[in-house]
Each structure stands twice: as C-alpha cells, then as structure tokens.
Amino acid sequence: MPYVKKVSNAERVNFLAASKVQSFTYQVSGEGVTPNENGKKIVKVGTILPANDETAEGILYTDVDVSNGPQPGALIVEAYVLEERLPVTPDAEAKTALSKITFR
C-alpha cells in the first residue's frame, strides 16, 4: 500500500460578488514569497499582482505554487469583488489601476 501524507486542507474564501469573471493567463513570480511550514512557496488566491499599487494588473483567481520558479496562473481582470474578503486591502492606486474590477 502506498504511503500518502495529507499536508493541508483547501481553504478558499469566496471574494467574488458575481459569477461573471474575466481572467487571463499570467506568469506568477516567486520573488518575495516566503515558504510555508512545508517549504512550499504559495502565492495566495486574491493577491493583487504584480503589486498592490499603481502597477496592479489583476487579482489572482487561485493559489499558485511557485516553489520551483514562476508558474502560470489565472489573473482576474474584470469582475465584481467583495473587497473585505481579499487577503490584503487594495490600495487606492491599485483600485484605480484595476479599472474593470468593481469593488463592493
């Protein structure tokens, strides 16, 4: 019988206010990401990329494991979002840059 070790439970907070979402593939970088207790570098769902400032292009749709380098992920560019459910409050500059995302 193979050995299987359960490492975590999936916990995903729904931050979408509507089901209509437009996303595109985005190369997620691992720069500045701290490894978790299992040594994995995970960029969390709801992260504003590439940064929470005037350079913002979208919001990450799912967790992305960048332990072995940059990986593709889904970046939301158009949607209705519940701001208080995001992992980090969007800066005013990020909100301006994310012109097709409506924060509620």
Side-chain angles (χ1 to χ4, degrees), residues 20-68:
K20 183 176 179 186
V21 174
Q22 180 66 53
S23 67
F24 293 102
T25 303
Y26 183 84
Q27 193 74 358
V28 181
S29 169
E31 289 186 36
V33 179
T34 305
N36 64 15
E37 63 276 358
N38 298 317
K40 297 285 187 180
K41 292 171 75 175
I42 308 291
V43 181
K44 292 293 189 182
V45 61
T47 301
I48 297 172
L49 293 176
N52 189 8
D53 57 21
E54 68 278 351
T55 65
E57 294 179 32
I59 299 173
L60 198 59
Y61 203 7
T62 61
D63 288 345
V64 177
D65 184 347
V66 292
S67 301
N68 297 314

Side-chain angles (χ1 to χ4, degrees), residues 4-5 8 11 13 26 29 33 41 50 54 82 86 90-91 102:
V4 177
K5 180 180 178 184
S8 68
E11 293 182 22
V13 175
Y26 183 84
S29 169
V33 179
K41 292 171 75 175
E54 68 278 351
L82 300 170
L86 291 173
D91 287 346
T102 302

